[in-house]
Amino acid sequence: MSKAFVIGYDPGGNGAHGVAALEVREENGRWHSLSLQVEQVRTLRDAVAWLKDTCCDGRIVAAGVDTLTEWNSGPGGWRPADKRLKERYREVANQILAPNSLAGSMAVNGAAFLRLLRSRFRADSILVTEAHPKVCVFALTRRKYIWAEERASLEAWLLDQLGINVPPEIPFGEKDHCFDAGMAVLAALRGLNGDWRLDLHDLPDADQSGRVLFCGRNHYWWPAPPEPSAPGKP
């Protein structure tokens, strides 16, 4: 039986692309974590190459991407998902920006990755979810975090959330790009297993004609109601 993977991608600028691949095994209708690999690479091309190499002996069953997986033609590009998160998580509302004002590295590389999934990884069979790592950490823990100060505890917390109890040394890196890719994996795994049943892309739009599905129908799985599970201090 071939291996199976849940992947995550955090699109950044040059040298700041985070990728993650979680090997999983299906048992009694649920996917269980086996091992996690992460890497920070220079470009989107490198990210795709790393994932193809890492997952070459298996298939990808789900993907989480820290980018816009659908657009909106209304004012500011605001989508129902963005409005819901901004209203619910006021403490981190500054992390939820109008889509039309987002950095090109996030929006362009993310959109390009979604397109490449179809041609390089047979994406029609892959469940894809949008992810918002920093707001998601707050939703799950009710804590803001500063990566440089809480790196060790956040790494341990994420591995525990993924169900990796005795991990090998995993080099998340000095920056949070690999951690964010890991959080995207978590969103994909939770949605794949039906643990996160809220799909923010299913929220009603005041103007249905505003939705722009530029890369097919994707998900935006989100924890609801949130169950706080705060990482401890390092």
Side-chain angles (χ1 to χ4, degrees):
M1 181 181 296
S2 66
K3 295 180 180 179
F5 296 90
V6 176
I7 64 170
Y9 174 53
D10 174 53
N14 279 347
H17 297 258
V19 281
L22 178 72
E23 186 181 347
V24 293
R25 180 188 70 247
E26 187 177 19
E27 184 177 330
N28 298 324
R30 286 187 64 82
W31 293 91
H32 300 272
S33 302
L34 296 176
S35 63
L36 177 70
Q37 297 182 65
V38 299
E39 188 64 75
Q40 183 171 318
V41 298
R42 183 172 178 272
T43 66
L44 168 60
R45 180 186 300 169
D46 295 334
V48 171
W50 184 88
L51 287 167
K52 283 186 69 66
D53 183 62
T54 302
C55 306
C56 65
D57 56 349
R59 62 191 178 98
I60 298 172
V61 294
V65 188
D66 180 10
T67 195
L68 305 176
T69 55
E70 69 174 53
W71 297 330
N72 196 285
S73 61
W78 285 104
R79 309 167 303 164
D82 308 315
K83 295 175 183 177
R84 172 67 65 87
L85 294 182
K86 199 170 186 68
E87 176 183 318
R88 179 171 293 182
Y89 305 109
R90 298 181 185 276
E91 298 90 337
V92 289
N94 63 332
Q95 297 286 341
I96 306 159
L97 306 177
N100 287 2
S101 69
L102 292 172
S105 57
M106 182 270 204
V108 175
N109 284 306
F113 181 78
L114 291 173
R115 297 291 296 181
L116 289 172
L117 270 179
R118 292 192 179 280
S119 60
R120 306 290 176 85
F121 298 101
R122 303 190 305 275
D124 289 341
S125 64
I126 300 172
L127 294 175
V128 177
T129 185
E130 184 167 334
H132 199 316
K134 291 177 176 60
V135 177
C136 191
V137 169
F138 182 83
L140 290 168
T141 69
R142 293 303 187 191
R143 281 179 55 185
K144 302 177 186 178
Y145 74 86
I146 301 175
W147 175 252
E149 297 178 2
E150 302 182 64
R151 173 182 164 187
S153 64
L154 286 164
E155 290 175 351
W157 172 81
L158 176 56
L159 294 174
D160 180 67
Q161 290 288 304
L162 289 170
I164 301 175
N165 298 318
V166 187
E169 285 296 319
I170 298 177
F172 277 90
E174 295 299 322
K175 302 296 183 180
D176 61 0
H177 304 294
C178 290
F179 177 80
D180 285 356
M183 284 298 299
V185 165
L186 179 64
L189 180 65
R190 289 284 189 266
L192 184 64
N193 278 331
D195 300 324
W196 293 0
R197 297 182 179 276
L198 173 62
D199 189 335
L200 296 176
H201 281 336
D202 286 340
L203 296 175
D205 192 344
D207 180 6
Q208 292 293 337
S209 63
R211 299 185 70 183
V212 180
L213 306 183
F214 69 95
C215 199
R217 173 69 170 88
N218 297 305
H219 300 279
Y220 197 161
W221 287 315
W222 196 258
E227 298 179 2
S229 175
K233 291 287 185 180

